Amino acid sequence: MRSLRCSPAPSIRAAWAPNLSAGPPAAAPLPVNVAIVGPAGAGKTTLFNAMTAGRGADGVGMVDIPDQRLARLADAVHPAKTTPAQVRVEDSPPGSRAQRVAFARQADVLLKVARAFGPDPNPVVELEEFALDLVLADLASVEKRLEVVGKEARAGKKDAVEEAEVLAAAKEHLDAGRQLRTMTLEPDQRAMLLNIFPVTLKPEVYLANAAEELLPSGGDPATKVKGLADAEGAPSVALSARLEAELAELDPSEQAEMRAGYGIDESGLGRIARAVWEAGGLITYFTAGEPEVRAWPCERDAPAPIAASKIHTDFEKHFIRAEVTSVDELVAAGSMEALRAAGKLRIEGRDYRVKDGDVIFFRIGR
């Protein structure tokens, strides 16, 4: 175990501790940022209102992610507070192409909305036209960076030679009208491209905003959107943003009844959340105790200290160990204390890779 700067008998905090010590608090971890983008008239603002249940302001809102496992934990542990995982959702603002591209660059995941309703929907063509704007923006960034790196490469700088090769390949890919996410890249090559903040390398989810009468499948327009998504290895969702906005105003029992009338067995938000998690390489882990049961989004295969930093940035540095169980085991036992007393909590160190559905009690030193 790595040596920690702490007293001989270190103070240990639980995962939900708000602060490690007196003094200025560490910066809070940033939430997952989802940008709603797409062609004009696709229903982006309607979708934003549906996802935020009308609680967004100035095109920005925090959205609770549905997860039945959280409710199961709360029923077992009876916490004072239950907090779902959240993502920050932002509606695409009006403006120039440059402004739309700049907006998309800030996101962790792009939610691409296609018009699959109304007269003569042609979602694939509209999406491809929108994607071309992003491709051209990345092409300009690659060319600008290649000009700088090319001079360094000609001067014999080894790192510059490698980066120039990657940039040249990226330029060829973009020149063909293809997005960078469809390019085969090694991790180090991908890292080189991230220096130019490429928007077409970001994970994406395709959403076919379908006519209500075509639900639940979304009909032929949604099928075409799914084909485009499949070709790029991206997840896709078909729903009616207008219907979802109406459902958001109803209580849960009325929502369920209305969804059943359309042959829908899950909220649109739940399907979007799963798709965003898939595209963004995310998992959900939980902390559970009497103060709070909470769900936390985290990168897939993240080491335990990195996962702990999602709670508080200082937790990564002061990480000691993780006590890990599953939702099913904790629900059966009723509490982490009962599992600990029975010797059924797994003790994991810094190298443990957190898994989806883990329930974790982080031991943190001052």
Side-chain angles (χ1 to χ4, degrees):
M1 182 183 301
R2 183 173 63 87
S3 175
L4 297 174
R5 292 185 179 180
C6 53
S7 62
S11 173
I12 302 295
R13 297 292 184 95
W16 48 81
N19 291 294
L20 288 169
S21 60
L30 295 174
V32 177
N33 188 22
V34 177
I36 300 176
V37 299
K44 297 185 291 295
T45 297
T46 302
L47 178 65
F48 171 81
N49 291 334
M51 293 180 69
T52 60
R55 296 192 299 270
D58 299 322
V60 179
M62 296 299 295
V63 176
D64 294 343
I65 301 302
D67 196 318
Q68 294 181 349
R69 296 172 297 183
L70 188 68
R72 292 179 60 208
L73 286 172
D75 288 343
V77 177
H78 305 294
K81 183 180 180 181
T82 301
T83 306
Q86 288 188 320
V87 296
R88 181 181 185 272
V89 176
E90 191 165 358
D91 187 14
S92 179
S96 65
R97 188 190 78 171
Q99 289 171 318
R100 293 195 300 271
V101 171
F103 166 74
R105 285 192 198 281
Q106 300 172 16
D108 298 309
V109 179
L110 301 181
L111 183 54
K112 287 186 171 181
V113 184
R115 184 179 68 87
F117 63 90
D120 303 319
N122 200 347
V124 171
V125 170
E126 292 179 355
L127 282 170
E128 288 177 340
E129 290 174 350
F130 173 77
L132 183 58
D133 284 345
L134 305 184
V135 166
L136 292 173
D138 277 354
L139 181 59
S141 297
V142 166
E143 289 175 337
K144 184 177 180 180
R145 178 63 181 167
L146 189 56
E147 183 177 344
V148 174
V149 175
K151 293 178 181 178
E152 296 176 349
R154 287 190 292 273
K157 187 176 178 181
K158 181 180 177 182
D159 290 346
V161 172
E162 295 174 356
E163 185 178 354
E165 291 175 352
V166 174
L167 289 168
K171 180 180 183 303
E172 182 179 353
H173 196 81
L174 293 164
D175 272 332
R178 293 174 291 179
Q179 301 183 71
L180 291 175
R181 72 174 58 84
T182 64
M183 186 177 176
T184 302
L185 295 166
E186 296 297 328
D188 59 334
Q189 295 173 327
R190 183 182 179 88
M192 291 176 188
L193 287 180
L194 289 177
N195 291 329
I196 64 166
F197 303 102
V199 69
T200 67
L201 197 56
K202 291 184 179 294
E204 63 182 9
V205 173
Y206 281 93
L207 188 142
N209 187 10
E212 294 177 20
E213 61 269 19
L214 296 179
L215 296 176
S217 70
D220 184 61
T223 299
K224 291 178 178 177
V225 172
K226 184 178 186 304
L228 180 61
D230 288 347
E232 295 187 10
S236 64
V237 176
L239 54 74
S240 166
R242 185 173 68 175
L243 176 62
E244 293 295 333
E246 293 175 1
L247 288 166
E249 299 177 358
L250 304 178
D251 65 43
S253 62
E254 291 175 318
Q255 287 184 24
E257 183 178 353
M258 192 169 178
R259 288 188 200 285
Y262 287 94
I264 303 169
D265 59 4
E266 183 184 9
S267 74
L269 177 56
R271 286 180 285 152
I272 291 172
R274 281 207 315 276
V276 166
W277 256 232
E278 177 187 346
L282 300 171
I283 62 168
T284 303
Y285 75 85
F286 303 89
T287 52
E290 291 182 2
E292 183 180 32
V293 167
R294 184 161 180 165
W296 301 90
C298 178
E299 295 81 7
R300 187 179 295 122
D301 294 326
I306 298 296
S309 73
K310 305 302 177 184
I311 300 172
H312 192 292
T313 52
D314 274 356
F315 279 17
E316 179 182 0
K317 180 172 62 176
H318 296 284
F319 175 90
I320 295 177
R321 65 178 181 270
E323 299 177 358
V324 185
T325 186
S326 68
V327 172
D328 288 342
E329 287 179 334
L330 181 54
V331 168
S335 71
M336 296 291 272
E337 289 72 16
L339 284 172
R340 190 177 295 112
K344 293 184 178 180
L345 276 180
R346 303 195 320 270
I347 306 302
E348 303 287 356
R350 301 185 67 84
D351 294 334
Y352 176 69
R353 304 285 174 165
V354 173
K355 299 177 177 60
D356 185 60
D358 277 350
V359 185
I360 307 177
F361 186 96
F362 291 108
R363 292 290 183 175
I364 305 298
R366 284 190 184 274

